[in-house]
Amino acid sequence: NLNTIMQIEMRLVGQPQSLVAPSRRFVRKGTVQKVSTKGQLLPRKLFLFNDSFLLVQKKGKKYNWKAFGLLCYTWLKPSPDVERFPNSFQLVTPHQTLLINTRLLDEMEFWILDFTNAMINAFQIVPTIGEKRDQAKFSKTKFLKTIEIDRVELPDYILRELDDSESAPSLQSSSSSSSSSSSSSSSSSSSIEVAP
């Protein structure tokens, strides 16, 4: 896995920082389109890691660095223009908002699911950030609601996988679960602010 990341970095051009990190793991890559401010579809390569994502422009055998974001500080949001770009979603970072388009609906659905899984794992690595998004319980179904993706629009096989993970461990340790059981019900009823 580390070799995969090193091979990607060797092909990068114009990167402001090293892509290699001790705990970073490669998850997947794919060809997508970035929607420009003028509505143009720009071909891009999207790399997803367990803690971050990287968007590049392929030039021959090289990758031009275009965008990078840590998942702990990235928000996943639905497309603001589903009529023109029905297979798209937004990646919102503190520095920019990227509208990512895919050719097929299935591709978008799998990207959303993979980003959701990676974000949950990233919050477990850095629990203080995850707790800011949900102090009570951090499940995939609750997370899907907080990132403003409509569950009704997702296919049944993804909904089943999300529902099956309702029993996923909380960010809070099991040792403190008994002492906080009385307060979790009150905190779970409050709305969680996800995007600024």
Side-chain angles (χ1 to χ4, degrees):
N1 203 299
L2 178 61
N3 290 335
T4 301
I5 299 178
M6 293 181 65
Q7 290 174 5
I8 297 171
E9 182 167 54
M10 290 176 61
R11 299 175 64 179
L12 284 173
V13 176
Q15 67 268 33
Q17 64 193 69
S18 176
L19 190 63
V20 178
S23 61
R24 183 160 296 153
R25 298 293 181 267
F26 173 78
V27 176
R28 65 169 294 191
K29 67 176 180 179
T31 300
V32 298
Q33 298 165 320
K34 177 187 176 295
V35 182
S36 71
T37 55
K38 297 181 179 180
Q40 297 175 318
L41 296 176
L42 308 176
R44 295 288 185 265
K45 282 281 187 182
L46 181 59
F47 295 90
L48 177 62
F49 306 96
N50 64 323
D51 65 343
S52 56
F53 74 88
L54 172 66
L55 190 69
V56 301
Q57 178 185 15
K58 188 176 181 181
K59 285 290 186 72
K61 295 184 179 181
K62 295 294 184 179
Y63 294 139
N64 288 342
W65 180 295
K66 290 298 181 180
F68 176 84
L70 293 174
L71 297 183
C72 287
Y73 301 101
T74 300
W75 287 267
L76 185 64
K77 301 187 69 176
S79 170
D81 193 349
V82 293
E83 292 187 0
R84 285 201 300 167
F85 309 108
N87 304 329
S88 62
F89 59 93
Q90 289 187 103
L91 294 173
V92 182
T93 75
H95 307 290
Q96 60 185 322
T97 297
L98 303 168
L99 182 56
I100 304 298
N101 186 70
T102 61
R103 294 180 305 160
L104 303 173
L105 178 62
D106 285 351
E107 293 180 26
M108 182 197 71
E109 292 166 349
F110 279 113
W111 274 117
I112 289 176
L113 183 60
D114 289 340
F115 263 96
T116 301
N117 288 330
M119 285 177 174
I120 291 174
N121 292 331
F123 295 149
Q124 290 175 342
I125 296 173
V126 189
T128 54
I129 297 176
E131 288 168 2
K132 291 180 181 179
R133 298 207 179 183
D134 189 346
Q135 295 286 348
K137 182 182 179 183
F138 202 81
S139 68
K140 288 184 181 180
T141 302
K142 180 181 282 288
F143 180 74
L144 199 67
K145 293 177 181 177
T146 62
I147 60 177
E148 302 178 11
I149 298 294
D150 189 355
R151 301 180 81 248
V152 178
E153 296 179 356
L154 294 178
D156 291 339
Y157 65 91
I158 290 184
L159 293 178
R160 284 195 299 270
E161 179 170 345
L162 292 167
D163 290 335
D164 289 343
S165 56
E166 276 297 294
S167 59
S170 170
L171 286 176
Q172 296 176 339
S173 62
S174 58
S175 60
S176 62
S177 60
S178 58
S179 61
S180 62
S181 59
S182 60
S183 61
S184 63
S185 59
S186 60
S187 61
S188 62
S189 62
S190 60
S191 59
I192 305 301
E193 186 69 22
V194 176

